[in-house]
Amino acid sequence: MKTYESCRREFPVFLYKNYTVEDENSELRVTYHFEIPGLSSFDPVWRFPKKDTIPLQAEGNLTLQKMLFGLGMVELISYWKIACPPEVRVQCGPLSPEQIRWWKDLYFLGLGEFFYTNGIQADSDTFMNLRADAPELPGVPRPASEADGCLIPIGGGKDSACTIELLKKSGLKLKTYIINPRGATLETVRVSGLSIDDSIHAGRTLDRRMLELNQEGYLNGHTPFSALVAFSSLITAYLHNLKYIALSNEASANESTVAGSTVNHQYSKSFKFEQDFHNYEKEYIQSGIYYFSMLRPLSEFQIAEYFSRHPAYHEVFRSCNVGSKQDIWCGHCPKCLFVFLILSPFLSHSRLTEIFGTDMLEDRSMLEDFQKLTGLTEEKPFECVGSRDEVNAAICLTIEQMETSGAALPALLKWYRAQPLFESAFPHRHDYDSFYDRNHLLPSAFLKILSDECYGGTLPC
């Protein structure tokens, strides 16, 4: 394995050289050109379907150029992390001092898990010297004109399904957005009743050289994928003249993965990033498109309850990263266990066992992950999972329901029932019934829908 220090000494510079745009009849193809001198060049590709076959004249559109340039600024971090060069030179677009601070903040916080799991001692000032000495981007501003409708990014899990169901009540034109479609994402659209013809599918192709270098022992780890979703969905909404982008990130994503630190697997799903991106777009891109998360006021606990009311999705949703290539629940990872637990107060134990193909709560080998999810260890699993408190609330409610009905507790719940944690958590089992996080960006019309559907028309004080 290579080390952070040795890589930085051997490869001191990373170049964001440029990007090339091919405007074809049906799609916009964007190829980014990065290089770590002395190691390798990288040429990842994005493909965006167009609204029609009319040429976009992208080279003269400053608004679109800023979006494409920004997507490259996010994409580069996947290649920078291979060797973590201390200097990054941006050669294809300008960055003000304020923008440089914005990007370094995203990189540092978005790579918190990468630094932590690789044992890297980095600080926000010196981990990267970001320079941009390129001229202004070409073209004139062209904000989205007379845009309407809403773009909903789809990940294949329960959260984006809930956003679809909420926004079906908005009366807006809805289009779904999928990066590299797979079974669960396509099935989510199908069972929602929305037209697959209104589903926009972008393609992201990684440079194979990055994958080879990972195999050779260069540095690897988690990057802020949801920041890619943000910039690529902005491009997609712009190309299809849509006014809103409605994400499906919840309040629970704000909790750190490592207790007492800023290390958060879900940093780019947090409200801080949502607000930062919203402000960045307004200040530096100015497309006129409004980016927000429809589920931000809610906890994962509340989302699970709402999702339980929509059985059409129960057979098709998938959130398991281990089983993603096969489009299955692996039934033996922290993410599967979390989803099983958070749904357990709202769906029967037998139904959950059918969905996951196994009774995860009888699997004693999952005890370590169970302890991580409930806060008995400093670290939560490095997955997109809910807060420690709401997992405990879900477990306590499930135990209460099973004991009331006379059902025998499965192994993990029986173990939990005997711990001091149960006695301290049980009185708080209803804390999330009316949870409401006021830190959100929902426009009033969207908040009204959420209020009616999830709070009976009256938001908590």
Side-chain angles (χ1 to χ4, degrees):
M1 289 289 294
K2 308 292 183 180
T3 68
Y4 178 72
E5 294 79 9
S6 65
C7 282
R8 286 165 73 84
R9 285 194 299 269
E10 188 173 357
F11 307 109
V13 177
F14 182 96
L15 303 177
Y16 177 5
K17 300 173 73 174
N18 55 39
Y19 56 93
T20 54
V21 180
E22 299 169 74
D23 188 353
E24 301 176 354
N25 282 339
S26 60
E27 69 177 17
L28 194 71
R29 176 187 169 109
V30 188
T31 305
Y32 292 97
H33 305 289
F34 308 130
E35 184 180 355
I36 301 177
L39 181 61
S40 184
S41 59
F42 309 97
D43 303 291
V45 177
W46 278 81
R47 295 179 174 87
F48 295 97
K50 294 166 55 178
K51 185 177 182 180
D52 49 47
T53 60
I54 299 173
L56 293 171
Q57 298 179 330
E59 66 282 355
N61 186 332
L62 178 60
T63 305
L64 180 57
Q65 290 293 332
K66 287 180 177 179
M67 294 179 189
L68 299 176
F69 169 72
L71 180 60
M73 289 293 295
V74 185
E75 188 70 78
L76 75 80
I77 205 64
S78 294
Y79 299 87
W80 175 87
K81 78 177 192 309
I82 293 168
C84 301
E87 181 164 318
V88 174
R89 298 175 187 168
V90 178
Q91 300 177 322
C92 58
L95 293 171
S96 68
E98 292 76 16
Q99 285 174 289
I100 288 174
R101 284 193 290 272
W102 191 92
W103 283 107
K104 286 187 65 174
D105 187 61
L106 168 60
Y107 295 157
F108 186 74
L109 294 174
L111 289 171
E113 177 182 335
F114 167 79
F115 291 137
Y116 180 81
T117 57
N118 283 285
I120 295 169
Q121 299 297 317
D123 68 79
S124 58
D125 290 328
T126 62
F127 83 103
M128 176 190 293
N129 178 30
L130 179 57
R131 293 175 45 192
D133 48 14
E136 291 293 325
L137 292 167
V140 296
R142 293 180 187 169
S145 60
E146 299 181 1
D148 64 358
C150 186
L151 185 70
I152 307 172
I154 303 297
K158 66 185 186 316
D159 298 352
S160 51
C162 290
T163 295
I164 289 175
E165 289 302 310
L166 288 166
L167 292 183
K168 281 164 64 174
K169 305 174 188 306
S170 69
L172 290 170
K173 173 179 67 178
L174 303 179
K175 289 184 179 288
T176 51
Y177 171 57
I178 303 172
I179 301 172
N180 294 342
R182 59 186 178 92
T185 51
L186 295 171
E187 284 294 287
T188 296
V189 176
R190 182 185 66 81
V191 302
S192 74
L194 299 180
S195 171
I196 196 68
D197 294 334
D198 287 326
S199 191
I200 305 168
H201 303 160
R204 180 195 183 205
T205 304
L206 299 172
D207 189 292
R208 63 176 180 82
R209 185 64 181 135
M210 178 187 72
L211 305 177
E212 292 170 353
L213 289 168
N214 290 340
Q215 292 296 315
E216 292 172 20
Y218 283 85
L219 297 167
N220 195 13
H222 181 73
T223 58
F225 178 77
S226 295
L228 284 174
V229 176
F231 275 91
S232 66
S233 64
L234 186 66
I235 293 167
T236 301
Y238 182 79
L239 294 179
H240 292 263
N241 207 36
L242 296 165
K243 183 176 182 179
Y244 298 101
I245 301 169
L247 276 293
S248 304
N249 302 323
E250 73 295 327
S252 309
N254 297 324
E255 183 178 77
S256 63
T257 305
V258 180
S261 78
T262 60
V263 177
N264 185 357
H265 174 80
Q266 301 191 80
Y267 170 69
S268 55
K269 289 186 175 182
S270 70
F271 181 65
K272 180 185 183 316
F273 174 75
E274 178 183 334
Q275 190 168 47
D276 285 352
F277 178 77
H278 180 91
N279 292 338
Y280 186 94
E281 193 288 323
K282 188 175 181 179
E283 178 71 21
Y284 300 112
I285 298 176
Q286 301 176 340
S287 68
I289 297 167
Y290 193 94
Y291 171 96
F292 71 104
S293 175
M294 185 68 190
L295 307 183
R296 181 63 68 192
L298 304 176
S299 67
E300 280 274 21
F301 184 91
Q302 291 165 302
I303 292 167
E305 190 278 329
Y306 186 77
F307 179 75
S308 71
R309 299 186 233 156
H310 297 88
Y313 298 98
H314 295 176
E315 289 290 343
V316 303
F317 84 113
R318 301 286 186 276
S319 303
C320 174
N321 293 317
V322 175
S324 61
K325 290 184 179 179
Q326 300 164 279
D327 209 48
I328 62 171
W329 296 103
C330 79
H332 195 75
C333 73
K335 185 58 180 284
C336 285
L337 181 59
F338 165 72
V339 179
F340 198 113
L341 288 171
I342 205 70
L343 286 170
S344 62
F346 312 112
L347 296 178
S348 71
H349 191 70
S350 60
R351 182 68 183 112
L352 287 169
T353 300
E354 290 174 357
I355 290 171
F356 287 85
T358 184
D359 184 351
M360 296 196 70
L361 301 188
E362 286 286 8
D363 188 349
R364 291 171 173 81
S365 69
M366 296 298 296
L367 180 58
E368 182 179 352
D369 290 321
F370 187 81
Q371 293 171 330
K372 288 181 177 181
L373 287 167
T374 56
L376 289 171
T377 63
E378 183 180 72
E379 296 177 13
K380 290 196 300 185
F382 284 99
E383 296 273 5
C384 294
V385 297
S387 70
R388 298 163 177 88
D389 286 346
E390 64 188 325
V391 170
N392 285 303
I395 292 171
C396 288
L397 280 169
T398 302
I399 290 173
E400 183 179 36
Q401 291 167 4
M402 295 185 80
E403 290 185 335
T404 300
S405 68
L409 295 180
L412 293 182
L413 297 191
K414 185 176 181 180
W415 177 89
Y416 183 95
R417 180 69 171 81
Q419 305 306 309
L421 178 59
F422 175 75
E423 296 298 330
S424 61
F426 187 76
H428 303 286
R429 64 197 184 280
H430 293 293
D431 284 358
Y432 287 91
D433 290 348
S434 58
F435 176 90
Y436 175 64
D437 193 329
R438 296 181 178 278
N439 294 312
H440 62 77
L441 298 174
L442 274 72
S444 58
F446 294 84
L447 186 58
K448 175 68 164 58
I449 294 170
L450 190 77
S451 174
D452 290 345
E453 286 292 299
C454 299
Y455 298 100
T458 304
L459 295 171
C461 297

